[in-house]
Amino acid sequence: MAVPVPFLDLSRHTASLKDSIKEGLGSVVDSGIFVLGPEIAKLEKTLADYCGAAHAIACSSGSEALLMALMALDLKPGDEVIVPSFTFFATASAVVRLGGIPVFADICKDSWNIDPNDVERKITKHTKAIIPVHLFGRAADMNRLTEIAQAHNLHIIEDAAQAIGAEAVLADGNHRVGSMGTIGCFSFYPTKNLGTMGDGGALTTNDPAIAEKLDLIRGHGMKPRYFHKIIGINGRLDAFQGIVLNQKFPHLEDWTFQRQQIARQYFDLFAAYPKLSDHLQFPMKSGKDRVVWNQFCVRVTDPQEGEIRDRLGAFLSDRKIGSAIYYPFGLHEQECFRCLNYEPKSLPVTYRVSRSILALPIFPGLTKEEQESVVEAVSEFFSN
Ligand SMILES: *Cc1c(COP(=O)(O)O)cnc(C)c1O
């Protein structure tokens, strides 16, 4: 029986927190401390502990976190930073905002994360850093990337915007995202696994000197007041967002568990239609790593995959089932990066995956009945 399914419903898992959040916001109004302050300090402590990093610095957004990370590493005009092309725009634009050059690497066929072999090929004497993105809630291949970065004396900035709580398997065991690179960047945009009610972000690092520098950068390089040591930005986070995040943080593990349960359920439900694997690639299952499933994407593998993907999206939409395309193009194809002269198909995996991928609903509170409706509709589409 087909029931309508929203692509994302943020109200379900947070409904029970509404009253306490309102109360907390009221306490901020009464306190008169609106920017940074004790709520933000509490958030930073919680985040650092959660990620297994020594320091966390909250900031105004994930995009500004990426910019601040590159500022802290003294990125200079002409410096190259290797980034995946299959990611959200901010991963690359942060590089350009400082005069650096984003060098786009392709992704792996199975994980859809940056391909370490292509990273290695693209290192030059101008390369300063690599920004792996832990896409859709799955850690990039940090084992290989760390090896490559060490061999070439490069920094790693982890773009962990979609992956809070995800873990990679390194030689000495599991590590949470944000604790493995020189700096980790997080976003608290409402659609992320830990979302606030506005914009917000954070950085993590194990290096106390970098933590101090990030704190300076966040406040116009000013310390003490009106003495500016370095050029910074206004990257501060406000206390309202601190309240929301501190109220939500204790529930993050439960919400992550729900996302993992939903992902397992998708695998089980799709397994009842074995013929679907002639048409669809499913995401990799989680192994010893820890995937936090910010998105659950499938990829059409038929010839004319692009056209079929779009028809599948329309078919689902007709049945009031939400889906979304992350991302319809590689960044190397975007108009603003044409000056970098990438042929669209020069990153072949990115090119194909962006044409053929479709994200299905996954969020805490999604019911089994809704998931069955999604899977039945997908299977119906391909049985015609
Ligand atoms: C959301 C996101 C960002 C940007 O975060 P904002 O808080 O929206 O600025 C950066 N990188 C990736 C991969 C993201 O998904």
PDB file of all heavy atoms in Angstrom, residues 347-377:
ATOM      1  N   LEU A 347      36.753  13.741 -15.339  1.00  0.00           N
ATOM      2  CA  LEU A 347      36.577  13.035 -14.065  1.00  0.00           C
ATOM      3  C   LEU A 347      35.435  12.047 -14.313  1.00  0.00           C
ATOM      4  O   LEU A 347      34.272  12.318 -13.991  1.00  0.00           O
ATOM      5  CB  LEU A 347      36.246  14.013 -12.936  1.00  0.00           C
ATOM      6  CG  LEU A 347      37.290  15.108 -12.683  1.00  0.00           C
ATOM      7  CD1 LEU A 347      36.800  16.099 -11.639  1.00  0.00           C
ATOM      8  CD2 LEU A 347      38.619  14.519 -12.254  1.00  0.00           C
ATOM      9  N   PRO A 348      35.753  10.904 -14.921  1.00  0.00           N
ATOM     10  CA  PRO A 348      34.693  10.040 -15.462  1.00  0.00           C
ATOM     11  C   PRO A 348      33.724   9.495 -14.417  1.00  0.00           C
ATOM     12  O   PRO A 348      32.525   9.392 -14.691  1.00  0.00           O
ATOM     13  CB  PRO A 348      35.457   8.904 -16.156  1.00  0.00           C
ATOM     14  CG  PRO A 348      36.860   8.987 -15.672  1.00  0.00           C
ATOM     15  CD  PRO A 348      37.101  10.390 -15.221  1.00  0.00           C
ATOM     16  N   VAL A 349      34.224   9.152 -13.240  1.00  0.00           N
ATOM     17  CA  VAL A 349      33.308   8.582 -12.243  1.00  0.00           C
ATOM     18  C   VAL A 349      32.367   9.680 -11.728  1.00  0.00           C
ATOM     19  O   VAL A 349      31.152   9.486 -11.607  1.00  0.00           O
ATOM     20  CB  VAL A 349      34.080   7.908 -11.087  1.00  0.00           C
ATOM     21  CG1 VAL A 349      33.112   7.222 -10.132  1.00  0.00           C
ATOM     22  CG2 VAL A 349      35.102   6.901 -11.629  1.00  0.00           C
ATOM     23  N   THR A 350      32.927  10.845 -11.447  1.00  0.00           N
ATOM     24  CA  THR A 350      32.101  11.971 -11.008  1.00  0.00           C
ATOM     25  C   THR A 350      31.033  12.282 -12.043  1.00  0.00           C
ATOM     26  O   THR A 350      29.859  12.500 -11.706  1.00  0.00           O
ATOM     27  CB  THR A 350      32.985  13.222 -10.788  1.00  0.00           C
ATOM     28  OG1 THR A 350      33.930  12.923  -9.770  1.00  0.00           O
ATOM     29  CG2 THR A 350      32.161  14.423 -10.404  1.00  0.00           C
ATOM     30  N   TYR A 351      31.446  12.283 -13.319  1.00  0.00           N
ATOM     31  CA  TYR A 351      30.515  12.614 -14.397  1.00  0.00           C
ATOM     32  C   TYR A 351      29.345  11.633 -14.411  1.00  0.00           C
ATOM     33  O   TYR A 351      28.183  12.030 -14.428  1.00  0.00           O
ATOM     34  CB  TYR A 351      31.242  12.596 -15.749  1.00  0.00           C
ATOM     35  CG  TYR A 351      30.371  13.049 -16.891  1.00  0.00           C
ATOM     36  CD1 TYR A 351      30.240  14.403 -17.201  1.00  0.00           C
ATOM     37  CD2 TYR A 351      29.642  12.123 -17.639  1.00  0.00           C
ATOM     38  CE1 TYR A 351      29.417  14.829 -18.226  1.00  0.00           C
ATOM     39  CE2 TYR A 351      28.814  12.539 -18.671  1.00  0.00           C
ATOM     40  CZ  TYR A 351      28.708  13.887 -18.965  1.00  0.00           C
ATOM     41  OH  TYR A 351      27.882  14.300 -19.968  1.00  0.00           O
ATOM     42  N   ARG A 352      29.674  10.338 -14.348  1.00  0.00           N
ATOM     43  CA  ARG A 352      28.601   9.331 -14.440  1.00  0.00           C
ATOM     44  C   ARG A 352      27.738   9.300 -13.184  1.00  0.00           C
ATOM     45  O   ARG A 352      26.508   9.232 -13.268  1.00  0.00           O
ATOM     46  CB  ARG A 352      29.203   7.938 -14.667  1.00  0.00           C
ATOM     47  CG  ARG A 352      29.739   7.766 -16.066  1.00  0.00           C
ATOM     48  CD  ARG A 352      29.870   6.310 -16.422  1.00  0.00           C
ATOM     49  NE  ARG A 352      28.567   5.633 -16.468  1.00  0.00           N
ATOM     50  CZ  ARG A 352      28.449   4.340 -16.679  1.00  0.00           C
ATOM     51  NH1 ARG A 352      29.532   3.589 -16.840  1.00  0.00           N
ATOM     52  NH2 ARG A 352      27.253   3.782 -16.731  1.00  0.00           N
ATOM     53  N   VAL A 353      28.374   9.356 -12.030  1.00  0.00           N
ATOM     54  CA  VAL A 353      27.603   9.251 -10.785  1.00  0.00           C
ATOM     55  C   VAL A 353      26.660  10.454 -10.636  1.00  0.00           C
ATOM     56  O   VAL A 353      25.502  10.305 -10.234  1.00  0.00           O
ATOM     57  CB  VAL A 353      28.541   9.097  -9.562  1.00  0.00           C
ATOM     58  CG1 VAL A 353      27.767   9.221  -8.255  1.00  0.00           C
ATOM     59  CG2 VAL A 353      29.269   7.757  -9.624  1.00  0.00           C
ATOM     60  N   SER A 354      27.136  11.637 -11.009  1.00  0.00           N
ATOM     61  CA  SER A 354      26.279  12.820 -10.858  1.00  0.00           C
ATOM     62  C   SER A 354      25.051  12.731 -11.771  1.00  0.00           C
ATOM     63  O   SER A 354      24.008  13.275 -11.441  1.00  0.00           O
ATOM     64  CB  SER A 354      27.067  14.098 -11.133  1.00  0.00           C
ATOM     65  OG  SER A 354      27.634  14.057 -12.428  1.00  0.00           O
ATOM     66  N   ARG A 355      25.187  12.043 -12.898  1.00  0.00           N
ATOM     67  CA  ARG A 355      24.041  11.878 -13.819  1.00  0.00           C
ATOM     68  C   ARG A 355      23.068  10.809 -13.355  1.00  0.00           C
ATOM     69  O   ARG A 355      21.936  10.763 -13.813  1.00  0.00           O
ATOM     70  CB  ARG A 355      24.536  11.487 -15.226  1.00  0.00           C
ATOM     71  CG  ARG A 355      24.711  12.657 -16.178  1.00  0.00           C
ATOM     72  CD  ARG A 355      25.761  13.566 -15.700  1.00  0.00           C
ATOM     73  NE  ARG A 355      25.965  14.758 -16.509  1.00  0.00           N
ATOM     74  CZ  ARG A 355      26.839  15.689 -16.188  1.00  0.00           C
ATOM     75  NH1 ARG A 355      27.559  15.568 -15.093  1.00  0.00           N
ATOM     76  NH2 ARG A 355      26.995  16.753 -16.926  1.00  0.00           N
ATOM     77  N   SER A 356      23.510   9.902 -12.484  1.00  0.00           N
ATOM     78  CA  SER A 356      22.714   8.696 -12.264  1.00  0.00           C
ATOM     79  C   SER A 356      22.325   8.454 -10.810  1.00  0.00           C
ATOM     80  O   SER A 356      21.673   7.462 -10.500  1.00  0.00           O
ATOM     81  CB  SER A 356      23.496   7.491 -12.803  1.00  0.00           C
ATOM     82  OG  SER A 356      24.808   7.460 -12.287  1.00  0.00           O
ATOM     83  N   ILE A 357      22.703   9.358  -9.910  1.00  0.00           N
ATOM     84  CA  ILE A 357      22.458   9.109  -8.483  1.00  0.00           C
ATOM     85  C   ILE A 357      21.128   9.735  -8.026  1.00  0.00           C
ATOM     86  O   ILE A 357      20.690  10.749  -8.579  1.00  0.00           O
ATOM     87  CB  ILE A 357      23.647   9.635  -7.651  1.00  0.00           C
ATOM     88  CG1 ILE A 357      23.685   8.983  -6.272  1.00  0.00           C
ATOM     89  CG2 ILE A 357      23.615  11.170  -7.553  1.00  0.00           C
ATOM     90  CD1 ILE A 357      25.043   9.099  -5.600  1.00  0.00           C
ATOM     91  N   LEU A 358      20.505   9.106  -7.060  1.00  0.00           N
ATOM     92  CA  LEU A 358      19.256   9.642  -6.508  1.00  0.00           C
ATOM     93  C   LEU A 358      19.200   9.314  -5.011  1.00  0.00           C
ATOM     94  O   LEU A 358      19.394   8.168  -4.606  1.00  0.00           O
ATOM     95  CB  LEU A 358      18.050   9.009  -7.215  1.00  0.00           C
ATOM     96  CG  LEU A 358      16.696   9.679  -6.948  1.00  0.00           C
ATOM     97  CD1 LEU A 358      16.636  11.067  -7.583  1.00  0.00           C
ATOM     98  CD2 LEU A 358      15.549   8.818  -7.468  1.00  0.00           C
ATOM     99  N   ALA A 359      18.937  10.340  -4.214  1.00  0.00           N
ATOM    100  CA  ALA A 359      18.848  10.145  -2.757  1.00  0.00           C
ATOM    101  C   ALA A 359      17.408   9.833  -2.365  1.00  0.00           C
ATOM    102  O   ALA A 359      16.471  10.498  -2.806  1.00  0.00           O
ATOM    103  CB  ALA A 359      19.334  11.407  -2.037  1.00  0.00           C
ATOM    104  N   LEU A 360      17.236   8.801  -1.538  1.00  0.00           N
ATOM    105  CA  LEU A 360      15.907   8.402  -1.050  1.00  0.00           C
ATOM    106  C   LEU A 360      15.715   8.941   0.368  1.00  0.00           C
ATOM    107  O   LEU A 360      16.684   9.274   1.048  1.00  0.00           O
ATOM    108  CB  LEU A 360      15.802   6.870  -1.069  1.00  0.00           C
ATOM    109  CG  LEU A 360      16.011   6.219  -2.443  1.00  0.00           C
ATOM    110  CD1 LEU A 360      15.933   4.688  -2.327  1.00  0.00           C
ATOM    111  CD2 LEU A 360      14.989   6.729  -3.454  1.00  0.00           C
ATOM    112  N   PRO A 361      14.474   8.988   0.837  1.00  0.00           N
ATOM    113  CA  PRO A 361      14.239   9.549   2.178  1.00  0.00           C
ATOM    114  C   PRO A 361      14.970   8.760   3.268  1.00  0.00           C
ATOM    115  O   PRO A 361      14.914   7.529   3.288  1.00  0.00           O
ATOM    116  CB  PRO A 361      12.720   9.413   2.358  1.00  0.00           C
ATOM    117  CG  PRO A 361      12.165   9.327   0.965  1.00  0.00           C
ATOM    118  CD  PRO A 361      13.220   8.628   0.156  1.00  0.00           C
ATOM    119  N   ILE A 362      15.677   9.453   4.135  1.00  0.00           N
ATOM    120  CA  ILE A 362      16.246   8.840   5.345  1.00  0.00           C
ATOM    121  C   ILE A 362      16.350   9.931   6.407  1.00  0.00           C
ATOM    122  O   ILE A 362      16.984  10.948   6.193  1.00  0.00           O
ATOM    123  CB  ILE A 362      17.618   8.157   5.081  1.00  0.00           C
ATOM    124  CG1 ILE A 362      18.089   7.383   6.309  1.00  0.00           C
ATOM    125  CG2 ILE A 362      18.683   9.159   4.626  1.00  0.00           C
ATOM    126  CD1 ILE A 362      19.230   6.400   6.024  1.00  0.00           C
ATOM    127  N   PHE A 363      15.638   9.730   7.489  1.00  0.00           N
ATOM    128  CA  PHE A 363      15.708  10.688   8.604  1.00  0.00           C
ATOM    129  C   PHE A 363      15.097  10.014   9.828  1.00  0.00           C
ATOM    130  O   PHE A 363      14.232   9.126   9.685  1.00  0.00           O
ATOM    131  CB  PHE A 363      14.973  11.996   8.271  1.00  0.00           C
ATOM    132  CG  PHE A 363      13.535  11.827   7.843  1.00  0.00           C
ATOM    133  CD1 PHE A 363      12.509  11.781   8.772  1.00  0.00           C
ATOM    134  CD2 PHE A 363      13.206  11.702   6.499  1.00  0.00           C
ATOM    135  CE1 PHE A 363      11.180  11.620   8.390  1.00  0.00           C
ATOM    136  CE2 PHE A 363      11.879  11.541   6.092  1.00  0.00           C
ATOM    137  CZ  PHE A 363      10.863  11.502   7.044  1.00  0.00           C
ATOM    138  N   PRO A 364      15.543  10.396  11.032  1.00  0.00           N
ATOM    139  CA  PRO A 364      14.988   9.771  12.232  1.00  0.00           C
ATOM    140  C   PRO A 364      13.479   9.993  12.271  1.00  0.00           C
ATOM    141  O   PRO A 364      13.009  11.105  12.036  1.00  0.00           O
ATOM    142  CB  PRO A 364      15.680  10.508  13.382  1.00  0.00           C
ATOM    143  CG  PRO A 364      16.909  11.105  12.777  1.00  0.00           C
ATOM    144  CD  PRO A 364      16.577  11.393  11.353  1.00  0.00           C
ATOM    145  N   GLY A 365      12.750   8.930  12.527  1.00  0.00           N
ATOM    146  CA  GLY A 365      11.291   9.041  12.568  1.00  0.00           C
ATOM    147  C   GLY A 365      10.630   8.511  11.312  1.00  0.00           C
ATOM    148  O   GLY A 365       9.411   8.326  11.285  1.00  0.00           O
ATOM    149  N   LEU A 366      11.399   8.254  10.259  1.00  0.00           N
ATOM    150  CA  LEU A 366      10.846   7.633   9.046  1.00  0.00           C
ATOM    151  C   LEU A 366      10.324   6.250   9.426  1.00  0.00           C
ATOM    152  O   LEU A 366      11.027   5.472  10.068  1.00  0.00           O
ATOM    153  CB  LEU A 366      11.937   7.519   7.980  1.00  0.00           C
ATOM    154  CG  LEU A 366      11.545   6.974   6.605  1.00  0.00           C
ATOM    155  CD1 LEU A 366      10.694   7.973   5.844  1.00  0.00           C
ATOM    156  CD2 LEU A 366      12.784   6.638   5.778  1.00  0.00           C
ATOM    157  N   THR A 367       9.097   5.928   9.038  1.00  0.00           N
ATOM    158  CA  THR A 367       8.509   4.663   9.488  1.00  0.00           C
ATOM    159  C   THR A 367       8.807   3.534   8.503  1.00  0.00           C
ATOM    160  O   THR A 367       9.139   3.774   7.344  1.00  0.00           O
ATOM    161  CB  THR A 367       6.972   4.764   9.619  1.00  0.00           C
ATOM    162  OG1 THR A 367       6.421   4.924   8.302  1.00  0.00           O
ATOM    163  CG2 THR A 367       6.567   5.930  10.495  1.00  0.00           C
ATOM    164  N   LYS A 368       8.654   2.312   8.995  1.00  0.00           N
ATOM    165  CA  LYS A 368       8.875   1.148   8.149  1.00  0.00           C
ATOM    166  C   LYS A 368       7.861   1.122   7.003  1.00  0.00           C
ATOM    167  O   LYS A 368       8.189   0.795   5.869  1.00  0.00           O
ATOM    168  CB  LYS A 368       8.767  -0.143   8.982  1.00  0.00           C
ATOM    169  CG  LYS A 368       9.023  -1.363   8.129  1.00  0.00           C
ATOM    170  CD  LYS A 368       9.612  -2.525   8.902  1.00  0.00           C
ATOM    171  CE  LYS A 368      10.031  -3.626   7.949  1.00  0.00           C
ATOM    172  NZ  LYS A 368       9.523  -4.950   8.307  1.00  0.00           N
ATOM    173  N   GLU A 369       6.635   1.496   7.300  1.00  0.00           N
ATOM    174  CA  GLU A 369       5.592   1.543   6.266  1.00  0.00           C
ATOM    175  C   GLU A 369       6.003   2.514   5.148  1.00  0.00           C
ATOM    176  O   GLU A 369       5.820   2.233   3.962  1.00  0.00           O
ATOM    177  CB  GLU A 369       4.273   1.983   6.907  1.00  0.00           C
ATOM    178  CG  GLU A 369       3.072   1.833   5.991  1.00  0.00           C
ATOM    179  CD  GLU A 369       1.809   2.486   6.559  1.00  0.00           C
ATOM    180  OE1 GLU A 369       1.929   3.300   7.503  1.00  0.00           O
ATOM    181  OE2 GLU A 369       0.728   2.193   6.033  1.00  0.00           O
ATOM    182  N   GLU A 370       6.550   3.650   5.543  1.00  0.00           N
ATOM    183  CA  GLU A 370       7.000   4.626   4.537  1.00  0.00           C
ATOM    184  C   GLU A 370       8.140   4.056   3.699  1.00  0.00           C
ATOM    185  O   GLU A 370       8.180   4.234   2.483  1.00  0.00           O
ATOM    186  CB  GLU A 370       7.428   5.930   5.230  1.00  0.00           C
ATOM    187  CG  GLU A 370       6.264   6.741   5.766  1.00  0.00           C
ATOM    188  CD  GLU A 370       6.705   7.929   6.600  1.00  0.00           C
ATOM    189  OE1 GLU A 370       7.672   7.803   7.386  1.00  0.00           O
ATOM    190  OE2 GLU A 370       6.096   9.003   6.465  1.00  0.00           O
ATOM    191  N   GLN A 371       9.059   3.359   4.369  1.00  0.00           N
ATOM    192  CA  GLN A 371      10.172   2.767   3.629  1.00  0.00           C
ATOM    193  C   GLN A 371       9.676   1.717   2.637  1.00  0.00           C
ATOM    194  O   GLN A 371      10.175   1.620   1.521  1.00  0.00           O
ATOM    195  CB  GLN A 371      11.159   2.110   4.599  1.00  0.00           C
ATOM    196  CG  GLN A 371      12.081   3.094   5.261  1.00  0.00           C
ATOM    197  CD  GLN A 371      13.248   2.344   5.877  1.00  0.00           C
ATOM    198  OE1 GLN A 371      13.168   1.907   7.015  1.00  0.00           O
ATOM    199  NE2 GLN A 371      14.319   2.180   5.128  1.00  0.00           N
ATOM    200  N   GLU A 372       8.697   0.928   3.062  1.00  0.00           N
ATOM    201  CA  GLU A 372       8.131  -0.081   2.161  1.00  0.00           C
ATOM    202  C   GLU A 372       7.515   0.588   0.951  1.00  0.00           C
ATOM    203  O   GLU A 372       7.650   0.116  -0.184  1.00  0.00           O
ATOM    204  CB  GLU A 372       7.078  -0.920   2.905  1.00  0.00           C
ATOM    205  CG  GLU A 372       7.710  -1.926   3.846  1.00  0.00           C
ATOM    206  CD  GLU A 372       6.732  -2.519   4.858  1.00  0.00           C
ATOM    207  OE1 GLU A 372       5.560  -2.051   4.922  1.00  0.00           O
ATOM    208  OE2 GLU A 372       7.150  -3.418   5.604  1.00  0.00           O
ATOM    209  N   SER A 373       6.865   1.712   1.187  1.00  0.00           N
ATOM    210  CA  SER A 373       6.249   2.459   0.096  1.00  0.00           C
ATOM    211  C   SER A 373       7.309   2.929  -0.910  1.00  0.00           C
ATOM    212  O   SER A 373       7.117   2.836  -2.124  1.00  0.00           O
ATOM    213  CB  SER A 373       5.489   3.634   0.707  1.00  0.00           C
ATOM    214  OG  SER A 373       4.897   4.425  -0.252  1.00  0.00           O
ATOM    215  N   VAL A 374       8.440   3.410  -0.398  1.00  0.00           N
ATOM    216  CA  VAL A 374       9.536   3.860  -1.262  1.00  0.00           C
ATOM    217  C   VAL A 374      10.055   2.693  -2.102  1.00  0.00           C
ATOM    218  O   VAL A 374      10.168   2.784  -3.332  1.00  0.00           O
ATOM    219  CB  VAL A 374      10.706   4.445  -0.425  1.00  0.00           C
ATOM    220  CG1 VAL A 374      11.900   4.781  -1.317  1.00  0.00           C
ATOM    221  CG2 VAL A 374      10.266   5.673   0.366  1.00  0.00           C
ATOM    222  N   VAL A 375      10.345   1.583  -1.424  1.00  0.00           N
ATOM    223  CA  VAL A 375      10.968   0.442  -2.102  1.00  0.00           C
ATOM    224  C   VAL A 375      10.008  -0.164  -3.132  1.00  0.00           C
ATOM    225  O   VAL A 375      10.404  -0.499  -4.251  1.00  0.00           O
ATOM    226  CB  VAL A 375      11.423  -0.609  -1.067  1.00  0.00           C
ATOM    227  CG1 VAL A 375      11.893  -1.887  -1.740  1.00  0.00           C
ATOM    228  CG2 VAL A 375      12.544  -0.019  -0.203  1.00  0.00           C
ATOM    229  N   GLU A 376       8.730  -0.269  -2.769  1.00  0.00           N
ATOM    230  CA  GLU A 376       7.747  -0.803  -3.718  1.00  0.00           C
ATOM    231  C   GLU A 376       7.639   0.080  -4.953  1.00  0.00           C
ATOM    232  O   GLU A 376       7.561  -0.419  -6.085  1.00  0.00           O
ATOM    233  CB  GLU A 376       6.374  -0.941  -3.050  1.00  0.00           C
ATOM    234  CG  GLU A 376       6.260  -2.242  -2.264  1.00  0.00           C
ATOM    235  CD  GLU A 376       5.127  -2.214  -1.253  1.00  0.00           C
ATOM    236  OE1 GLU A 376       4.133  -1.486  -1.472  1.00  0.00           O
ATOM    237  OE2 GLU A 376       5.244  -2.915  -0.224  1.00  0.00           O
ATOM    238  N   ALA A 377       7.654   1.388  -4.733  1.00  0.00           N
ATOM    239  CA  ALA A 377       7.535   2.295  -5.884  1.00  0.00           C
ATOM    240  C   ALA A 377       8.760   2.184  -6.792  1.00  0.00           C
ATOM    241  O   ALA A 377       8.634   2.163  -8.019  1.00  0.00           O
ATOM    242  CB  ALA A 377       7.358   3.737  -5.395  1.00  0.00           C
TER     243      ALA A 377
END
